[in-house]
Amino acid sequence: MNTPARLCSVLSLVAVLCTCAWVRDPHADHGVIELEAAAHTADYWIAKLPVGDAMANAAAIAAQNERLRRTDPSVNDIESLPVRIGRERIRGWVETLSKLPVSPRYDEAGERLSSTTRAQLRANVAVESIPLMRPTRYGLVTQRADLRAFPTRMRVFSTPGNTDIDRFQESALFPGTPVAIVHASADGEWWFVVSELYEAWIEQRHVAIGTPGQVFGYVRKSPLLVVTGDTVRTNFTPEQPQVSELALDMGVRLPLLADWPRDRPVNGQHAHAAHVVELPIRSSSGALEFAPALLRRDADVAPGFLPLNGATLLRQGFKFLGERYGWGHAYNARDCSGFVSEVYRSAGVTLPRNTGDQARSGAFERFDFTAGMDHAERLDALRALRVGDLIYTPGHVMMYVGSDRGSPHVIHDTAGINYRGADGKLKQMVVNGVVVTPLALLRSEDDRPILDRITSIQRIRP
């Protein structure tokens, strides 16, 4: 698997003179090219969609998801794992991820990790304790949980004081996600799990162990609700703390208990003005159980996946506008590849977790940019973009939202930008959020037009 949760590399905006009315001040002191207020709304771009914007049907989406599972090496079919897994396979998963970096790493106080700390981290990985064969166990994630490169909550950074990018943070899993449990840390607090899209360490307290029938039966239950907001939360309840104010991210699917008795309260509250959903919980022994929970009737959810078309992708993407950037789903947020994954997940589409895997996947309609393509050829390719197309540069992904006065625009989740100031010099600016930017004005750290660094475009809609 590729380097996890690839950094949404620092992008750049070139502050050149521009006659387009949507740009207020290309030399703004804050370093961000400002758009007219209307351009920060989904409706602005929806109005520009062509008449009859095509919608993919459910069968085509299911076929595309199956093609991804069958052909993409970054995607795991965990339900088909053998009942016993050999040591070498487990060791391969663990050692591919849990490699101590050769370069220095620093803690939150800015202190360099000592050789003793490194040895302790390595010892807790406990690869020597992996048996010759291990029975495959399954579980469901019970709350939003970090996936880590090492079995530790210690945050580790490349440079002192730069504490946004935790190098041990990989990704996150969400309530109801099935995992295969294949290894345990030496301290007994962590499991190494294999999910559909990732292999990493997760705290044991966030996973409930069940039978394959319980685990995979849960994800096939219907009817269902799909979370269509950026995040929704279950109702507060003191009766069942595990499902109280539980955070549910965009695209999470929940079994709907549509036949819940009308005269029966849910966790001390009448369900008349709420949806009754079923969630996995963890018993005191760690076993999988299920409990009802309430979602308010006005929660941003839908009775099934949303239609996959341009309007849906725009509405869903703009729900994250202004959200804080979170490397590897840190800060209860998401990064560039997590952002586009959740937008598409709300329409039932599965994407690989990392940008590199997304960009290379053969499961979608991919257009590769070759090294020999000149700038004009690249511009020609961009003229064929459709709303929702994903544009990849090394370590970053952007979603095309439409063209304004002939200029293509994108929405993306980025750590920072570079731009040319009024003096013509390249400047750096921290963004750390989801923003809309004109694609033609983006530049890279080495002051090249970002158009010349595009590696591929993926059209996800089958």
Side-chain angles (χ1 to χ4, degrees):
M1 196 158 189
N2 295 314
T3 304
R6 297 181 186 276
L7 174 61
C8 298
S9 53
V10 175
L11 299 179
S12 55
L13 299 179
V14 58
V16 297
L17 292 176
C18 181
T19 59
C20 300
W22 37 261
V23 177
R24 292 178 179 169
D25 180 10
H27 294 135
D29 290 339
H30 47 65
V32 180
I33 295 177
E34 292 187 12
L35 307 182
E36 294 295 337
H40 289 286
T41 67
D43 287 343
Y44 181 81
W45 301 101
I46 290 172
K48 296 176 178 293
L49 286 170
V51 176
D53 178 51
M55 180 177 72
N57 62 49
I61 293 171
Q64 179 176 270
N65 288 342
E66 177 55 33
R67 184 164 63 251
L68 178 73
R69 296 184 185 99
R70 187 178 66 253
T71 63
D72 197 307
S74 73
V75 178
N76 301 303
D77 182 3
I78 65 170
E79 193 172 3
S80 297
L81 288 173
V83 294
R84 294 169 65 85
I85 304 177
R87 173 191 296 158
E88 292 310 309
R89 188 174 188 182
I90 296 173
R91 188 162 188 155
W93 279 324
V94 175
E95 292 190 329
T96 297
L97 180 73
S98 301
K99 292 180 179 178
L100 284 168
V102 176
S103 55
R105 290 290 185 263
Y106 302 86
D107 63 19
E108 290 185 276
E111 298 295 326
R112 184 169 174 171
L113 295 190
S114 67
S115 57
T116 299
T117 299
R118 286 173 169 255
Q120 290 170 341
L121 289 168
R122 181 62 183 168
N124 205 27
V125 171
V127 290
E128 293 77 12
S129 70
I130 301 173
L132 186 62
M133 298 292 292
R134 183 183 292 279
T136 305
R137 294 186 296 170
Y138 290 101
L140 287 176
V141 177
T142 58
Q143 58 184 289
R144 193 186 208 270
D146 289 338
L147 290 177
R148 306 286 289 168
F150 285 86
T152 179
R153 288 178 286 277
M154 178 191 301
R155 302 181 73 231
V156 173
F157 313 99
S158 297
T159 56
N162 182 12
T163 57
D164 264 337
I165 309 300
D166 176 3
R167 293 299 177 178
F168 285 176
Q169 179 70 16
E170 296 292 320
S171 188
L173 293 180
F174 308 102
T177 304
V179 294
I181 302 162
V182 300
H183 184 44
S185 61
D187 63 12
E189 294 185 7
W190 298 78
W191 275 322
F192 194 93
V193 298
V194 179
S195 68
E196 181 181 41
L197 301 177
Y198 226 87
E199 311 95 36
W201 294 96
I202 191 171
E203 290 182 83
Q204 289 191 17
R205 64 193 178 98
H206 298 319
V207 179
I209 299 176
T211 66
Q214 288 176 309
V215 169
F216 297 107
Y218 177 81
V219 299
R220 295 190 177 102
K221 286 184 177 181
S222 63
L224 58 85
L225 287 181
V226 174
V227 175
T228 49
D230 55 344
T231 305
V232 302
R233 290 184 179 273
T234 57
N235 286 12
F236 171 81
T237 170
E239 284 83 358
Q240 182 47 270
Q242 288 195 59
V243 299
S244 179
E245 297 185 306
L246 191 68
L248 303 166
D249 290 70
M250 183 180 286
V252 169
R253 62 187 305 283
L254 304 163
L256 178 65
L257 300 178
D259 57 353
W260 189 265
R262 289 183 144 197
D263 59 349
R264 183 180 171 189
V266 176
N267 303 324
Q269 181 180 348
H270 197 282
H272 173 71
H275 302 287
V276 186
V277 296
E278 185 176 57
L279 286 164
I281 61 173
R282 178 182 165 96
S283 74
S284 58
S285 65
L288 175 62
E289 296 178 352
F290 298 98
L294 293 180
L295 284 173
R296 289 170 38 176
R297 284 278 177 183
D298 65 351
D300 195 344
V301 296
F305 293 111
L306 297 173
L308 179 56
N309 56 27
T312 291
L313 297 172
L314 289 168
R315 289 192 185 97
Q316 295 305 99
F318 274 78
K319 288 177 182 179
F320 292 111
L321 189 68
E323 180 186 76
R324 180 69 149 82
Y325 173 85
W327 165 263
H329 274 92
Y331 302 153
N332 289 318
R334 57 225 87 235
D335 53 24
C336 63
S337 53
F339 162 66
V340 298
S341 293
E342 291 183 31
V343 169
Y344 271 96
R345 190 173 66 186
S346 64
V349 175
T350 302
L351 300 182
R353 172 61 183 92
N354 292 328
T355 56
D357 295 320
Q358 289 179 6
R360 289 187 296 269
S361 181
F364 315 113
E365 185 181 346
R366 186 179 75 227
F367 180 81
D368 290 321
F369 284 64
T370 63
M373 292 178 67
D374 62 26
H375 193 77
E377 289 176 302
R378 289 168 175 265
L379 285 173
D380 284 341
L382 293 178
R383 292 190 182 100
L385 286 171
R386 288 173 59 189
V387 168
D389 285 352
L390 301 181
I391 303 165
Y392 293 89
T393 60
H396 191 59
V397 57
M398 303 166 279
M399 189 175 84
Y400 177 67
V401 298
S403 180
D404 199 3
R405 291 177 171 83
S407 175
H409 284 58
V410 293
I411 186 171
H412 52 134
D413 201 344
T414 182
I417 61 173
N418 300 324
Y419 69 102
R420 283 182 182 169
D423 58 3
K425 295 180 180 179
L426 197 67
K427 299 181 183 295
Q428 294 185 341
M429 175 59 59
V430 173
V431 175
N432 272 337
V434 179
V435 292
V436 178
T437 52
L439 183 60
L441 301 184
L442 297 175
R443 300 184 74 86
S444 64
E445 283 188 284
D446 59 3
D447 204 14
R448 293 167 57 199
I450 212 72
L451 298 181
D452 293 341
R453 301 193 73 232
I454 295 174
T455 60
S456 66
I457 293 172
Q458 290 278 29
R459 179 160 294 160
I460 308 300
R461 288 192 272 173

